[in-house]
Amino acid sequence: MAGLIPEQTIAKVRENINIVNVISQYVSLEKKGKDYIGLCPFHQEKTPSFTVNEGKQFFKCFGCGKGGNVFTFLMEKDGLTFPESVQKAADFAHIDIGDVTHARAENSNILIKINEQAAKFYQRVLVSTNAGRRGLEYAKQRKLDAKIIDHFKIGYAPRQNDLLLTYLRGRDFQDSDLLKSGLFVQTKNGSLLDRFRDRLMFPIANEGSYVIGFSGRRIANDKTEAKYINSPETKVFAKSKVLFHFAEAKKAVRDENHLVLYEGYMDVIAAYQAGIKSGIASMGTSLTDQQLYMIRRITKNIIINYDGDDAGIHAEDRAVKMFDQAGGFNLGIVILPEKLDPDEYIKKYGAENYTKEVKGALTPTDFFLKRLAKKYNLDNDREKLAYIDEAVKAIAKLTNPVEQDLYLDKIAREQNVSFDSLKATLARYRRQFNIAQRRKENSLIDQSRQTTPIRSNQEITFDPIQVRLLYLFIHSTNARDYLLNRKFLFPDEAFQRLAESWLSFSEEQENPSVNSFLNFIPSQLQGIIVNTEMTDMPQDFSDQEIDEQIDALKMREIRTQLHHLMNELQDAKRKTDTKKIMTITQKILELKRIQG
């Protein structure tokens, strides 16, 4: 039994789910040999060190050290308890485990629970009450049908200033927690009022699809009020670390092979209605490094479609530069005609035409050249030369020779100049660019030499001997009996605790497995088990191998003792402590005799 879920139910879920399918919802995985690799979802990295072993159903990040099974992953990534992770894994695999999962796994975080309940309240008000008619009329004006309202969990915050407060108090939530949720404001006399009133409500979910905040769209024509109001920053909601519709959009990447980045929620919703399910939006702010990393974990293929007005084009330019600086992305940029935003374009020209615009997205270089051309009067020779010079300088930074030739050819045809002359100019800028790059790299190397700290000898290292013996202790009854008969104890306390825990676990379980053992032990010990399982080891062994491994541990312990004794001897000689010198010397001789 783990929490309220019977052990046989946990085993049923574990045996019928593939960890690769679950983690693929959070990370873009690529098969390498027998493993899958990707960018770690727990820390930012440029080179993938996150590994998933499908055969053993374990994951391990060799960068930050996190590892475990499918339940551990969901607990770490979505902040779930163990029973909640079992329920969510069952949901992923469409496994019926009875009354335990009659509903989606509820998150244990009190602030998330409050936001989840608020989302249900707002949606119920919108679709089922007289108080919500005003919101429903507005939703209909914006062409938001029942399917869209259901998918995006859209709701309505009524005009009254305490309806949500009353509802949540009735659900036994405390005022102190309600205030921390960001859904309420506190008056000078200490009373609470609903933060959102007379607004169409768009829930903001985290990667696990749990609601963590809201954006409320003004319905009234009163322009003294902000068009949109977002939840304030809370312990669960940080605008810089969340993307609207991300949890759902990443599921569509398998079919659409990209994510589409928009400026606003209504653009995401309009695109969804037009058949593009992979739309996401930042929270009314410029993109952040955290959001870029979230995107990069899922796919390298990004299409940016901001508003078509000047402000939107400038914002697209900033976004392109951020993606370019981060590196590793395959970008497409959509510029809609007539300065329309995606929502306006779809309403005017329809879903089919909009889909064509997305499919015809520009490359970053095309986008740059089109913007650059608008800065110059190309009917004037002086300005045309300046344009060509700046354009070739940008093309020189491209590393793909085919790309370089493609854009040089375009410029040659459009500006009626020879390809060869452009190629000569490109070669000159390439030389300058390469020299500048080498200087930059040399400077970085010099800085690295000055700032790189020396690794401490006290850092914990991987112990292959104890890992091998623990592997045999767990996987082989004969090896375990042999070690127990020799009264062997692991030198490291953590390894010894694991050995003792395995003995208890295997006696209690009818069919003990390493995967189920992982959820039986403390989290601080799970990393050793994951390391052991993720290391390729032969299952066959001999008594001689075990004896040699034990002897190696003994010799290592003797070397450690000798090192300490030699330091003590030097200290005793410095103090001319004759009695201590003789005692330590005797110990050193005894250890050296054992050492042979």
Side-chain angles (χ1 to χ4, degrees):
M1 176 81 75
L4 300 175
I5 305 178
E7 183 58 44
Q8 59 268 31
T9 302
I10 297 169
K12 178 182 178 182
V13 175
R14 185 187 296 114
E15 290 162 9
N16 288 279
I17 197 166
N18 188 338
I19 192 170
V20 173
N21 294 338
V22 174
I23 293 180
S24 291
Q25 301 291 319
Y26 299 80
V27 179
S28 177
L29 296 174
E30 182 181 351
K31 196 164 184 9
K32 287 284 181 73
K34 68 181 189 317
D35 294 330
Y36 291 81
I37 66 165
L39 292 168
C40 180
F42 302 111
H43 81 287
Q44 289 194 27
E45 60 181 4
K46 290 187 176 180
T47 304
S49 61
F50 183 81
T51 303
V52 183
N53 187 299
E54 187 173 26
K56 296 181 178 179
Q57 292 291 293
F58 280 116
F59 75 92
K60 172 73 178 178
C61 176
F62 294 95
C64 67
K66 287 192 185 294
N69 59 15
V70 66
F71 304 132
T72 315
F73 180 86
L74 292 171
M75 289 165 69
E76 290 278 358
K77 192 72 194 80
D78 291 341
L80 305 177
T81 63
F82 179 71
E84 290 164 358
S85 73
V86 176
Q87 290 182 358
K88 184 152 189 177
D91 292 342
F92 266 123
H94 306 292
I95 299 170
D96 181 10
I97 59 175
D99 293 338
V100 176
T101 57
H102 65 278
R104 183 171 72 110
E106 186 180 85
N107 197 290
S108 58
N109 186 296
I110 190 69
L111 299 186
I112 292 179
K113 281 185 177 181
I114 291 170
N115 278 281
E116 283 272 314
Q117 285 296 325
K120 291 175 184 176
F121 169 81
Y122 289 139
Q123 191 167 40
R124 195 176 301 126
V125 169
L126 178 68
V127 301
S128 307
T129 70
N130 287 331
R133 282 183 180 175
R134 175 176 165 81
L136 200 57
E137 284 299 318
Y138 179 80
K140 287 177 180 176
Q141 289 174 23
R142 299 301 300 262
K143 309 295 184 187
L144 305 177
D145 58 26
K147 285 183 180 179
I148 289 297
I149 288 171
D150 181 61
H151 176 79
F152 288 93
K153 300 178 183 176
I154 298 169
Y156 174 68
R159 290 174 170 179
Q160 294 91 323
N161 63 13
D162 63 351
L163 284 189
L164 178 64
L165 179 66
T166 303
Y167 172 80
L168 292 175
R169 279 174 173 169
R171 297 272 167 172
D172 296 326
F173 290 111
Q174 301 300 309
D175 279 13
S176 57
D177 292 323
L178 293 176
L179 184 59
K180 292 174 187 173
S181 72
L183 292 168
F184 304 94
V185 292
Q186 192 171 36
T187 64
K188 289 181 180 179
N189 64 12
S191 59
L192 298 183
L193 298 175
D194 293 3
R195 179 182 296 275
F196 299 98
R197 297 191 292 276
D198 193 27
R199 288 180 178 272
L200 202 65
M201 299 299 288
F202 299 92
I204 311 299
N206 63 13
E207 271 201 79
S209 297
Y210 294 101
V211 178
I212 56 174
F214 291 87
S215 183
R217 204 309 182 173
R218 185 190 71 215
I219 289 180
N221 290 322
D222 184 1
K223 294 188 178 179
T224 61
E225 293 187 15
K227 184 186 285 188
Y228 283 97
I229 293 179
N230 293 329
S231 291
E233 300 269 316
T234 68
K235 287 187 177 179
V236 297
F237 176 70
K239 287 193 291 185
S240 63
K241 298 178 182 177
V242 67
L243 291 160
F244 179 71
H245 198 238
F246 187 70
E248 296 301 317
K250 64 186 183 183
K251 297 174 187 175
V253 170
R254 287 185 180 180
D255 295 326
E256 298 182 23
N257 198 33
H258 58 234
L259 286 170
V260 186
L261 180 64
Y262 296 98
E263 273 191 283
Y265 317 130
M266 290 307 300
D267 295 330
V268 173
I269 293 168
Y272 189 91
Q273 288 175 306
I276 293 173
K277 314 296 186 187
S278 58
I280 56 175
S282 57
M283 298 292 299
T285 57
S286 298
L287 275 175
T288 65
D289 290 337
Q290 293 98 323
Q291 290 166 336
L292 281 178
Y293 189 74
M294 286 170 64
I295 294 168
R296 188 173 160 199
R297 277 196 287 106
I298 302 304
T299 180
K300 65 179 182 179
N301 300 321
I302 308 298
I303 292 174
I304 306 171
N305 185 194
Y306 287 176
D307 294 355
D309 59 13
D310 291 342
I313 300 298
H314 284 305
E316 270 185 325
D317 186 46
R318 287 196 302 273
V320 168
K321 287 174 181 174
M322 281 197 73
F323 279 109
D324 184 55
Q325 189 174 8
F329 287 100
N330 177 25
L331 287 183
I333 299 99
V334 177
I335 303 177
L336 296 174
E338 302 171 36
K339 297 189 175 183
L340 297 174
D341 64 35
D343 186 25
E344 292 167 338
Y345 182 93
I346 292 166
K347 285 182 171 67
K348 186 170 183 178
Y349 293 107
E352 187 178 348
N353 282 322
Y354 178 69
T355 303
K356 289 177 182 176
E357 293 282 356
V358 172
K359 288 181 178 177
L362 303 171
T363 66
T365 305
D366 255 333
F367 173 69
F368 171 79
L369 293 176
K370 283 184 182 297
R371 290 201 69 213
L372 183 64
K374 290 181 179 179
K375 288 171 54 179
Y376 295 95
N377 175 9
L378 299 179
D379 292 325
N380 178 287
D381 288 346
R382 181 176 57 81
E383 292 202 28
K384 180 191 283 192
L385 287 170
Y387 161 73
I388 292 172
D389 190 64
E390 194 171 344
V392 175
K393 192 181 292 184
I395 294 168
K397 294 178 182 177
L398 300 175
T399 55
N400 187 334
V402 176
E403 268 190 287
Q404 292 172 2
D405 283 358
L406 177 70
Y407 295 115
L408 289 181
D409 185 58
K410 275 188 179 183
I411 293 172
R413 284 185 284 104
E414 289 171 1
Q415 304 306 322
N416 196 27
V417 295
S418 77
F419 178 84
D420 290 340
S421 64
L422 294 178
K423 192 79 172 175
T425 306
L426 177 83
R428 175 163 50 85
Y429 279 129
R430 280 297 298 170
R431 285 194 296 272
Q432 293 176 6
F433 179 70
N434 289 337
I435 291 168
Q437 280 292 100
R438 280 196 293 272
R439 284 175 181 166
K440 185 178 178 182
E441 288 166 7
N442 291 336
S443 175
L444 290 173
I445 291 169
D446 290 341
Q447 288 177 26
S448 175
R449 285 170 178 165
Q450 292 169 17
T451 60
T452 302
I454 299 169
R455 274 181 70 89
S456 168
N457 291 327
Q458 295 179 349
E459 288 183 10
I460 297 171
T461 55
F462 182 75
D463 186 350
I465 298 175
Q466 291 192 84
V467 165
R468 173 62 173 161
L469 290 175
L470 182 63
Y471 179 86
L472 294 174
F473 191 91
I474 290 173
H475 287 277
S476 169
T477 304
N478 291 335
R480 182 163 61 252
D481 290 343
Y482 186 78
L483 287 164
L484 292 171
N485 288 335
R486 286 203 54 174
K487 296 183 171 51
F488 171 75
L489 295 175
F490 286 91
D492 189 293
E493 182 186 351
F495 280 82
Q496 183 59 31
R497 281 182 65 192
L498 283 168
E500 292 168 2
S501 297
W502 176 257
L503 285 175
S504 302
F505 180 77
S506 58
E507 287 169 4
E508 293 173 10
Q509 303 296 316
E510 187 175 343
N511 297 302
S513 70
V514 178
N515 206 309
S516 56
F517 178 56
L518 203 68
N519 299 114
F520 178 83
I521 58 177
S523 58
Q524 61 266 32
L525 297 180
Q526 291 179 5
I528 296 174
I529 293 295
V530 174
N531 276 340
T532 303
E533 292 302 303
M534 295 288 277
T535 305
D536 282 327
M537 285 195 217
Q539 292 197 351
D540 56 318
F541 73 99
S542 65
D543 292 349
Q544 182 183 349
E545 182 201 348
I546 293 178
D547 289 338
E548 288 173 353
Q549 300 279 22
I550 293 173
D551 288 342
L553 287 174
K554 285 180 178 177
M555 289 302 105
R556 189 169 69 190
E557 177 60 26
I558 287 173
R559 286 194 298 273
T560 302
Q561 289 181 37
L562 282 171
H563 177 74
H564 289 311
L565 286 170
M566 292 300 291
N567 287 337
E568 288 182 25
L569 183 61
Q570 288 296 110
D571 188 57
K573 285 179 178 179
R574 193 164 48 252
K575 295 175 181 176
T576 62
D577 187 338
T578 307
K579 185 177 179 181
K580 195 172 183 180
I581 290 171
M582 290 182 64
T583 303
I584 295 172
T585 303
Q586 185 65 34
K587 288 180 181 178
I588 290 173
L589 291 172
E590 287 172 5
L591 288 174
K592 287 195 171 182
R593 271 197 295 271
I594 296 170
Q595 194 179 39

